[in-house]
Amino acid sequence: MARKKVQKIKLPKAFRAKSKLGKAPGAINYVGGRKEQLTKISLLEYTNDSLKTQYPRPLKLKESISNEMTSFCNVVGLAQENIIDGIGKSFNFNNLLLEDVVDTFQRPKIEEFDDHVFGVFKMLYLNQEDLLVVEHMAMVLIEGTVLVFQETEEDVFDGVLNRIEQKFGRIRSRGADYLFFALLDAIVDHYYIVLDEVKDKLELLEEEVYNKPSEETAKRIQLIKKEILRIRKWIFPVKDLVNRLIESEHQLISKDTKLFLKDTLDHCIEINEDLTLYREMSTSLMEMYMTSVSNKMNEVMKVLTVIAAIFIPLTFLAGIYGMNFEYIPELHYQNGYFVLWGVFIAIGIGLLILFKKKGWL
Amino acid sequence: MARKKVQKIKLPKAFRAKSKLGKAPGAINYVGGRKEQLTKISLLEYTNDSLKTQYPRPLKLKESISNEMTSFCNVVGLAQENIIDGIGKSFNFNNLLLEDVVDTFQRPKIEEFDDHVFGVFKMLYLNQEDLLVVEHMAMVLIEGTVLVFQETEEDVFDGVLNRIEQKFGRIRSRGADYLFFALLDAIVDHYYIVLDEVKDKLELLEEEVYNKPSEETAKRIQLIKKEILRIRKWIFPVKDLVNRLIESEHQLISKDTKLFLKDTLDHCIEINEDLTLYREMSTSLMEMYMTSVSNKMNEVMKVLTVIAAIFIPLTFLAGIYGMNFEYIPELHYQNGYFVLWGVFIAIGIGLLILFKKKGWL
Amino acid sequence: MARKKVQKIKLPKAFRAKSKLGKAPGAINYVGGRKEQLTKISLLEYTNDSLKTQYPRPLKLKESISNEMTSFCNVVGLAQENIIDGIGKSFNFNNLLLEDVVDTFQRPKIEEFDDHVFGVFKMLYLNQEDLLVVEHMAMVLIEGTVLVFQETEEDVFDGVLNRIEQKFGRIRSRGADYLFFALLDAIVDHYYIVLDEVKDKLELLEEEVYNKPSEETAKRIQLIKKEILRIRKWIFPVKDLVNRLIESEHQLISKDTKLFLKDTLDHCIEINEDLTLYREMSTSLMEMYMTSVSNKMNEVMKVLTVIAAIFIPLTFLAGIYGMNFEYIPELHYQNGYFVLWGVFIAIGIGLLILFKKKGWL
Amino acid sequence: MARKKVQKIKLPKAFRAKSKLGKAPGAINYVGGRKEQLTKISLLEYTNDSLKTQYPRPLKLKESISNEMTSFCNVVGLAQENIIDGIGKSFNFNNLLLEDVVDTFQRPKIEEFDDHVFGVFKMLYLNQEDLLVVEHMAMVLIEGTVLVFQETEEDVFDGVLNRIEQKFGRIRSRGADYLFFALLDAIVDHYYIVLDEVKDKLELLEEEVYNKPSEETAKRIQLIKKEILRIRKWIFPVKDLVNRLIESEHQLISKDTKLFLKDTLDHCIEINEDLTLYREMSTSLMEMYMTSVSNKMNEVMKVLTVIAAIFIPLTFLAGIYGMNFEYIPELHYQNGYFVLWGVFIAIGIGLLILFKKKGWL
Amino acid sequence: MARKKVQKIKLPKAFRAKSKLGKAPGAINYVGGRKEQLTKISLLEYTNDSLKTQYPRPLKLKESISNEMTSFCNVVGLAQENIIDGIGKSFNFNNLLLEDVVDTFQRPKIEEFDDHVFGVFKMLYLNQEDLLVVEHMAMVLIEGTVLVFQETEEDVFDGVLNRIEQKFGRIRSRGADYLFFALLDAIVDHYYIVLDEVKDKLELLEEEVYNKPSEETAKRIQLIKKEILRIRKWIFPVKDLVNRLIESEHQLISKDTKLFLKDTLDHCIEINEDLTLYREMSTSLMEMYMTSVSNKMNEVMKVLTVIAAIFIPLTFLAGIYGMNFEYIPELHYQNGYFVLWGVFIAIGIGLLILFKKKGWL
Ligand SMILES: [Mg+2]
Ligand SMILES: [Mg+2]
Ligand SMILES: [Mg+2]
Ligand SMILES: [Mg+2]
Ligand SMILES: [Mg+2]
Ligand SMILES: [Mg+2]
Ligand SMILES: [Mg+2]
Ligand SMILES: [Mg+2]
Ligand SMILES: [Mg+2]
Ligand SMILES: [Mg+2]
Ligand SMILES: [Mg+2]
Ligand SMILES: [Mg+2]
Ligand SMILES: [Mg+2]
Ligand SMILES: [Mg+2]
Ligand SMILES: [Mg+2]
Ligand SMILES: [Mg+2]
Ligand SMILES: [Mg+2]
Ligand SMILES: [Mg+2]
Ligand SMILES: [Mg+2]
Ligand SMILES: [Mg+2]
Ligand SMILES: [Mg+2]
Ligand SMILES: [Mg+2]
Ligand SMILES: [Mg+2]
Ligand SMILES: [Mg+2]
Ligand SMILES: [Mg+2]
Ligand SMILES: [Mg+2]
Ligand SMILES: [Mg+2]
Ligand SMILES: [Mg+2]
Ligand SMILES: [Mg+2]
Ligand SMILES: [Mg+2]
Ligand SMILES: [Mg+2]
């Protein structure tokens, strides 16, 4: 079970370079692997006292949004490029923004516009079958509204939705910028799960290296090193982005919300430090593996040397008395054979003591 | 086929140091390997409504350019230094600028002058025979005009030309600074192809290391490490240059175009991150190769040790009963020979069990 | 005894990711391993002339604090989340602050609020059984008061309390900011003990590597490398935090106290340099270990080679005269056997001299 | 021939520490290895229309300089400390400046004074016997004059002198600051020669590593690594110095000349990047060497193992039938000997096939 | 002799952590190893025309200092804490300053106070028995006076004293800030001696690695690596401190003296670069050592393989004709024995040629 979690979902291979070449910048071109997901929209709106859910059609989305309530608009499925384009047009979003919404290769980013703040992040979570999923998402903060674009229905926002519905904490009494923060915070909180996975694997591998290192162990260490490098690419930039939000002077982000973002920043710093730590641990692990391979070789060599060093001289001695010279006086001694056995045993024991002293046994 | 792409076109070796020594700065001195390419000029001009192509002679170029249209002037072939000099003089370009236009060793750069912006970049692309080509190019943004200088006719601008001719996207309705951006963006987009090549090779090598590592594998890993170092030299500086363009206050670059340059910057950041990632992956690969060599050696040593450890003592025993002592009682036992065979087999099986337990078999 | 100190106290494993997921930010959620410790409060108050100790109930704490005296309020035990919450509410502390008070995973931090300064640190010390303890603590500087939150009764503040009670030094005549500094200084001073432990272990390991390296040695080196990495995580950030306090313009921190903080900064710098130094020393140690493994292998191989090189040819010679050819003239020489012994000895001595010259003996 | 170039000229060892200890700062103390070179002065002066050469005596130098012409004053030979002191005094140079002029250990530097700009650089060039020479030089830019101090007559300024004499380029029509730039540019241009040498050597070594690596190869790689480290020390700082000249606001350096310095800066950046590249290539080379040593060892071990694994068991079998037991039935079989040969051959071929399958042959 | 210099003086081990724990900051607590040195004071005062030496008692020191002369007050021996305290009190020095004066663990630092500048440095020098000594020192620049605190009578200031007494250079005509600089400059100049030692050792070790590497060699390389790390700790920070003095606006440091400090800065930069260089050289040395160990192993293995590969098959052949089968036709051939010798020799020579071709001989 624990092993299974490690596996990532295989998506159809996406080709960035080919699909982008020659296109105008701002072309809305979904390059991810979830092409079968139809675009669905849900609109959750709340004030401190009321709560409302709608499922508007794309072209009606803009006008469905209430000005009096905080609105959480969730757009699931990015493959229907024309729908995304339509939604974007109705909100007057820049084409480059829309391109990034559907560009699953886009690295995490925050961009501030006059009347909206745009962010791209990667959600990392375990899905219902306990497999690690990486999902591209984008979110836009407008006056009173947060728009979220994501590839699939599963996400990391159940906790946030729960707090909204159950009226836990302060979320219902605060505005859209707090919602924006809460979603970002949920994404960052889920990064800890990936880190825990990595840590678990490192500890298992450490035990493997110490107890029964095989050639597979080395491959697994390399694999986790590569995985850490890849996770870094998705997670590392988030810290700077959160910091930029805190230092931003955009009118949509209140001073109050920045206090909460500082808490998220703390977590981002810790996550990045842990990633660095795990990376160094994986390097140490490889080093330890090499050491254990060398030690194994040493042990093998010692066995060979001890056996060869004892028996090769003895065989030579036996060979001497197997010679057919006419005159070999020892052969005619009455106890020659038994004396020689004594010599054999003496040499053998002598060498064993010598090797014992050398610490080879 | 995939293998063939990896090869780079061999150009006649260019000697930087020798050809430059003792020359005055600003000497126009083509040091590249495409000396046979005659200089050709084409001039594509467009407004939102019209499109015009000319092939003016070098000395007529300046006066052929229309002030009412956006002009894309493409100068192909840099070996005819006097022609480049003539064109440069007619536009009042600095000699140092012209030196950089033909200096194929010049690293990527952006330089702002009072009434023009000058850039040097390297185009990386697959040519018609699917070989990787590195081509030096320079471009100058003047009011209403972009001048491009390149070594050969092939380039990475087909997509841009297509969008101009087919009136795709917004290019026809925008000015020369957008054209400047579009060309730079096309160059950066093509870097993804080189990165894809590198990634493909790394993955092939990884499989090779895991399945059938040979001495050739190590050479190939070193080769790709060197290739990554070289590609870095051409690609890495571009990020900072694009960033400088975005922060520039030059009157020729509009605020609108800077928005698009930010998109290019995003791509440059990603490309640089990937280059760093691939470099670390190539280092890991070498490490894994060394591990596999050590493991192979271990296996060889184990086979040697097991065989030697079993048969050397047995040979000694056989040697004993091959001795010619007059009195060796065992030789006269009726079943001596068969008992000894039993001893041989017992020792052999005993040692095999021992080595099995040690995990050597 | 020295060995025992190295061990860390094992705490019940704490799961960060799971316990935090889906909770609202600011949820007061103790995730540490000292859940059995009941929350106790002591309140030590002093002026230059008087000294008073109280043990107020949590809800009475705020009103028990005297405005005329400097107050040191020590809250021990963080598992009773509602009590911490109550105390925090009475002082009007932000929920995010309270979350950090009980979040034992929180990395060291300083946060300035309008009327208080908040800090989180890790105390590292040897407990009464001489085991290394890591304890999470938080402290808040308010006008005239320092609040300390810690997990267990043991701490590093005995020296400070002593100076207050005995009226040593300047502490009794200074305000709460000096007390805040004195506590922080005590924490930093105790880091030296951990560093001394690390240094002792490195020196023991160095001796082990030089004199009797075993497979255990390598594991111990890796262990200390990992320990240094972990200690770094707790200690390293403190330097920047102290520096920020020195450069802070918060009205609660007097210019005078900053002079003392500079002394603490000096120590932080030295500690961080030492940590870096120890890390490089542990890397060198591993390198030396590998070298010694290689040298050992070389020695083993030389013994094998010398013995095999001498006796294998001699055995061949003996084998020759053990052949049963009808006509082998040497077998009939009168002194054949003795001559052959001469040859055996000559070859043996010759090879020994040769190997001696090669430096293999 | 190519090999010979690699050698550096051996100079008498210079002892920095000893010769400087206890001396007052500003003591003029030549510590280089060219003590036999007498100090000679030449003075080349030019305007756009005229050209004049003089060989003034040291004490007459100051007054020999024309105010109407641009003057290039070349002082060769730094061992006659009193002469250098006299020249310096006549120009009112600071003692610390003069100390640096003769201190061949001084690293590259630029220092701006009220009415002069002072620079120290290292010239690297191939001398008439094609050996690499490192020569300490200092230059001072005064109003209308450039003073150059160098250790020997050979230098890198032939190209500049040629352009002055032949009236090539713009040098005759520009002032002393352009001359200062032109000399610095000549120094930097010659660094390419050293880099080309390093690159040539790296390529030769690469071939050696791949085709016939010997113990000498490793020494050569270490040698070039050390050489790169040393060259770096002389060349690396120049980039920052040129940059500082460009950003300087000294009245002696015109805006026009700064444009040319930017070109030199480009070259410095490229040179430093190449140095870094070569360093990483030399590291890779050592890694590749180690790999090839390991592979060689593997091959040797395989040969040993194959031969031992085949013949040791066969020898045992032969030993069995060499035993002298009274009753060994096989010995009396008519075709026993031939059957045994069959067994020998079968075992041998079987093992060969096995090892072939393992890829050891 | 040269070897002896390398040794450092062993001092009684000093325990930092223990002696500091629980003490108030500012406690004057000598933790060094020169506890037996009584505190002695000498006071050298000079103007351009006069020179005066006194040996005042500690409590009279302050009033003994002349306002008209530049005063160099040398306090030797830091173990008598009450005397140091008394002197400090008379000059109104901060307690934290006095703590640093006697804290031999204090890293190099510069601290500016309103009317004095305080510095801590480490003197590194060869003592009268040519052993390397590390000595803690502190110095304070007051108006017209420099106070030096050092542990022992030996120091690095003989040259400075000489220049004062002999009226060499400019020291007599300048003020206390120049004296402060001159002392600091003397300290830095002596660092070159340590660097020369390190360089000498590296060169000796390099020769050892190339010519006769033993296990001791590896230990020596590790030792020098550790020594470089430790020296770095003492020397590295000085560069930044000197730079801070140059940029300081303290009224006690004249613009003139800053010019001299720039010269010292030059030396600090060079020293730090050299330290970095030596560190990389020591790393290369270890690498080379490992290479030579591997090469040695290769050589040993080749000898073993060649001997085994030749004689094991021959021994097998001889064994065959030692078998006792009733019918072995070859045994009865008249020249069987001689033919077999031919076969032996042919196989031996054939294999030798083969191994020669493989480059194993
Ligand atoms: Mg994109
Ligand atoms: Mg989803
Ligand atoms: Mg969910
Ligand atoms: Mg959070
Ligand atoms: Mg998990
Ligand atoms: Mg927090
Ligand atoms: Mg044998
Ligand atoms: Mg150039
Ligand atoms: Mg082209
Ligand atoms: Mg094309
Ligand atoms: Mg693009
Ligand atoms: Mg491809
Ligand atoms: Mg984009
Ligand atoms: Mg927290
Ligand atoms: Mg506690
Ligand atoms: Mg305590
Ligand atoms: Mg302290
Ligand atoms: Mg201890
Ligand atoms: Mg201090
Ligand atoms: Mg100097
Ligand atoms: Mg010269
Ligand atoms: Mg020359
Ligand atoms: Mg140049
Ligand atoms: Mg050359
Ligand atoms: Mg240029
Ligand atoms: Mg201190
Ligand atoms: Mg002293
Ligand atoms: Mg002295
Ligand atoms: Mg000096
Ligand atoms: Mg010396
Ligand atoms: Mg100087």
Side-chain angles (χ1 to χ4, degrees), chain D residues 107 109 279 301 332, chain E residues 206 266 273 280 301 326:
Chain D
R107 70 194 292 276
K109 69 182 283 186
R279 212 178 144 200
M301 292 306 305
H332 307 291
Chain E
E206 196 177 30
D266 266 9
E273 280 182 356
E280 299 185 36
M301 293 305 305
E326 263 174 23

Side-chain angles (χ1 to χ4, degrees), chain E residues 80-91:
Chain E
Q80 289 181 283
E81 295 152 0
N82 56 334
I83 296 184
I84 304 298
D85 190 30
I87 295 171
K89 288 282 180 340
S90 72
F91 283 93

Side-chain angles (χ1 to χ4, degrees), chain C residues 112-159:
Chain C
E112 297 180 25
F113 295 86
D114 282 350
D115 56 0
H116 52 280
V117 176
F118 173 63
V120 170
F121 300 96
K122 304 290 162 186
M123 296 190 283
L124 302 178
Y125 56 88
L126 301 183
N127 72 0
Q128 289 168 342
E129 288 89 40
D130 245 351
L131 297 173
L132 181 61
V133 180
V134 181
E135 185 181 343
H136 172 78
M137 70 85 67
M139 53 192 201
V140 194
L141 168 64
I142 324 176
E143 174 76 57
T145 301
V146 174
L147 272 123
V148 164
F149 296 87
Q150 54 174 301
E151 292 185 271
T152 67
E153 299 218 26
E154 257 191 311
D155 60 19
V156 300
F157 302 139
D158 293 349

Side-chain angles (χ1 to χ4, degrees), chain B residues 5 16 27 37 62 73 105 107 109 145 148 151-152 155 168-169 186-187 202 227 229 250 263 289 302 311 313 323 349:
Chain B
K5 275 190 210 169
R16 171 70 168 279
Q37 173 73 52
K62 179 73 196 284
C73 172
F105 290 96
R107 69 194 292 276
K109 69 183 282 186
T145 302
V148 164
E151 292 185 271
T152 65
D155 59 20
F168 283 152
I187 293 173
L202 281 172
E227 204 177 306
L229 285 177
H250 201 285
D263 188 64
Y289 177 80
K302 276 181 202 163
F311 287 103
M323 293 192 298
I349 289 177

Side-chain angles (χ1 to χ4, degrees), chain B residues 136-151:
Chain B
H136 172 78
M137 70 86 67
M139 53 191 199
V140 195
L141 169 63
I142 326 175
E143 174 76 56
T145 302
V146 174
L147 271 122
V148 164
F149 295 87
Q150 53 175 302
E151 292 185 271

